[in-house]
Amino acid sequence: MHVQEWLETVPAVAVYALVGLVIGLESLGIPLPGEIILVSSALLASQHGEIDPVVLGASATAGAIIGDSIGYAIGRKGGRPLLAWLGNKFPKHFSEGHIATAERSFEKWGMWAVFFGRFVALLRIFAGPLAGVLRMPYWKFAIANVLGGILWAGGTTAVIYYVGIVAESWLKRFSWLGLVAAVLVGVTSMLVLKRKAKKAQPVAAAE
């Protein structure tokens, strides 16, 4: 069933809760389609007055910030054994190559890896836990986490909502295009990261 059509069947409060929960769990480190849910909900808000885009953006932002913060705390407490456990549970997402690629990003960019990681599908599930494992100072993590969460979640909601309002006459077609675009962006970023991760695996194994 189309994601947006399914969202139309639930109350506005449930949409806010669902968006916050899915994005929070994704930020926590669980692979979920947070971006697709957010895009679909923002499009739905542009068509139905019952859903407030401000509340929707706030719910998404809160889920992103809180989820990343919990992920940071878990990563800081669990350390590298946690990454090994995640690698066994989610080998496609937490392989040694992916972790090595993310670690190099953190070494190069520091706190901004958390900020920019918010905009890359695969890095969204890494940022919080890995920042904790690498023991990034919390104040640096918190600044990047809050700024990234507001800009990504709030900005995505605002852009999709206003584009949906402007394009109301062909919104049904756009809803498909918006979802396809979100999926393509996510898949492309994952493929690029997987390619880098594959190259990094021999180095990680040697180390």
Side-chain angles (χ1 to χ4, degrees), residues 5-6 51 60-61 64 81 97 99 109-111 116 152 155 157 162 174 177 181-182 189 191 197 203-204 206:
E5 291 176 352
W6 180 78
I51 298 177
T61 301
I99 293 173
W109 300 105
M111 63 183 286
F116 290 113
W152 175 74
T157 302
Y162 284 113
F174 180 79
L177 292 174
S189 61
L191 289 176
V203 176

Side-chain angles (χ1 to χ4, degrees), residues 2-193:
H2 194 287
V3 175
Q4 190 173 346
E5 291 176 352
W6 180 78
L7 288 172
E8 289 177 350
T9 65
V10 299
V13 174
V15 174
Y16 303 144
L18 178 66
V19 169
L21 179 63
V22 171
I23 291 177
L25 290 175
E26 182 189 39
S27 302
L28 176 62
I30 300 175
L32 290 172
E35 195 166 44
I36 292 177
I37 291 292
L38 181 57
V39 169
S40 300
S41 301
L43 284 171
L44 184 62
S46 70
Q47 300 174 64
H48 298 277
E50 296 85 1
I51 298 177
D52 188 332
V54 175
V55 178
L56 179 65
S59 300
T61 301
I65 294 172
I66 294 171
D68 247 14
S69 298
I70 295 174
Y72 174 90
I74 293 174
R76 193 173 180 89
K77 185 174 182 179
R80 292 197 173 273
L82 173 65
L83 295 181
W85 180 81
L86 288 172
N88 291 329
K89 293 292 183 181
F90 306 103
K92 291 184 179 180
H93 296 88
F94 289 91
S95 67
E96 290 184 5
H98 288 164
I99 293 173
T101 300
E103 281 184 322
R104 281 201 301 275
S105 298
F106 271 72
E107 290 171 1
K108 184 176 181 179
W109 300 105
M111 63 183 286
W112 297 112
V114 176
F115 177 83
F116 290 113
R118 175 62 63 187
F119 300 87
V120 181
L122 187 60
L123 286 182
R124 270 199 300 277
I125 67 175
F126 272 111
L130 191 56
V133 169
L134 298 178
R135 297 193 173 275
M136 176 183 289
Y138 183 74
W139 68 269
K140 289 186 176 182
F141 169 80
I143 291 173
N145 180 30
V146 171
L147 291 177
I150 292 173
L151 191 59
W152 175 74
T156 299
T157 302
V159 169
I160 298 300
Y161 175 78
Y162 284 113
V163 168
I165 291 293
V166 172
E168 188 173 1
S169 61
W170 48 280
L171 192 55
K172 285 191 175 180
R173 281 188 297 151
F174 180 79
S175 70
W176 281 101
L177 292 174
L179 287 173
V180 170
V183 172
L184 288 177
V185 169
V187 170
T188 300
S189 61
M190 287 182 67
L191 289 176
V192 171
L193 286 172

